[in-house]
């Protein structure tokens, strides 16, 4: 089982795409306080999924993940801004943008995405901030997007590493009995290794006995002198 398999590759790409679209659409709705057309969100997810699936052939580190996630998040935010203007116009909807004049109302139809989220207000009025931006507002928004994207990339990197370790452990556990059986069979089938000719004992060397020699072991020298 490999992390680049078709099933796991699709799952990783889907998780990546969902995270990118969720972060971008959620932050965009909170800042603009205007929901997004459903078809626009679905199209953004399909586009990000296609890119992520093409690049998910192997396990990726933090750098490649962040280098892809942050630009895609910013690109999706730009697409959402354009889609809101085209579908809803300055009045905020439901269908009052330029697409209505072209007869493309179906592209903006359906239940908008993020309706309840658009009604959430915090200590800072994001819509008012965007309506009258200060000199540092664009940089503040860019820094927020980049920071959130880097945090999401770090989270995805930990997930990639954990999944890779899990798959390697499962593969080692699953194939361990097979490897042991194969090694045992190889040991049984292995023939006895013959010694080289240079180190073989000469024929009859182990059975030859020096018959002309006589073993004469007498008493110790001190005992022999005492008897004398």
């Amino acid at each position: 089982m490999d992390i680049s398999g078709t099933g796991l590759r699709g799952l990783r790409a889907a998780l990546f795409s969902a995270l990118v679209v969720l972060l971008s659409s959620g932050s965009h709705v909170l800042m603009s306080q205007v929901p997004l057309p459903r078809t626009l969100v679905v199209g953004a997810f399909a586009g990000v999924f296609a890119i992520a699936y093409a690049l998910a052939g192997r396990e990726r580190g933090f750098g490649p993940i962040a280098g892809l996630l942050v630009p895609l998040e910013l690109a999706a935010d730009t697409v959402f801004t354009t889609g809101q203007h085209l579908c809803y116009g300055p009045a905020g909807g439901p269908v009052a943008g330029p697409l209505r004049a072209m007869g493309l109302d179906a592209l903006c139809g359906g239940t908008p995405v993020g309706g309840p989220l658009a009604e959430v207000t915090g200590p800072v009025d994001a819509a008012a901030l965007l309506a009258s931006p200060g000199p540092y507002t664009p940089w503040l928004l860019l820094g927020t997007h980049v920071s959130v994207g880097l945090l999401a990339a770090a989270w995805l990197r930990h997930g990639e590493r954990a999944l890779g370790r899990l798959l390697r452990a499962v593969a080692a556990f699953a194939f361990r009995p097979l490897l042991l059986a194969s090694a045992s069979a190889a040991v049984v089938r292995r023939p006895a290794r013959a010694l080289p000719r240079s180190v073989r004992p000469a024929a009859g060397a182990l059975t030859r006995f020096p018959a002309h020699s006589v073993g004469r072991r007498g008493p110790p020298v001190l005992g022999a002198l005492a008897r004398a």
Side-chain angles (χ1 to χ4, degrees), residues 10-82:
L11 179 62
R12 291 162 56 221
L15 180 61
F16 179 86
S17 305
L19 188 60
V20 170
V21 174
L22 179 63
L23 290 176
S24 184
S25 61
S27 60
H28 189 84
V29 171
L30 281 175
M31 295 298 294
S32 64
Q33 295 185 352
V34 176
L36 293 170
R38 177 182 296 181
T39 54
L40 187 65
V41 176
V42 173
F45 179 86
V48 175
F49 179 83
I51 297 174
Y53 187 85
L55 299 177
R58 59 183 177 86
E59 183 178 344
R60 300 291 179 176
F62 173 76
I65 293 176
L68 180 64
L69 189 146
V70 174
L72 285 178
E73 184 188 358
L74 296 175
D77 184 76
T78 303
V79 171
F80 292 154
T81 301
T82 305

Side-chain angles (χ1 to χ4, degrees), residues 37 39-40 82-89 92-100 104-105 107-109:
T39 54
L40 187 65
T82 305
Q84 280 181 335
H85 290 319
L86 291 177
C87 287
Y88 299 147
V95 180
L99 291 180
R100 184 176 186 179
L104 299 176
D105 295 357
L107 296 178
C108 304

Side-chain angles (χ1 to χ4, degrees), residues 155-177:
W155 182 77
L156 283 176
R157 171 54 190 157
H158 285 296
E160 283 268 286
R161 183 167 54 188
L163 180 60
R165 289 178 177 177
L166 177 62
L167 292 178
R168 287 190 289 269
V170 170
F173 179 78
F175 289 101
R176 187 183 181 99

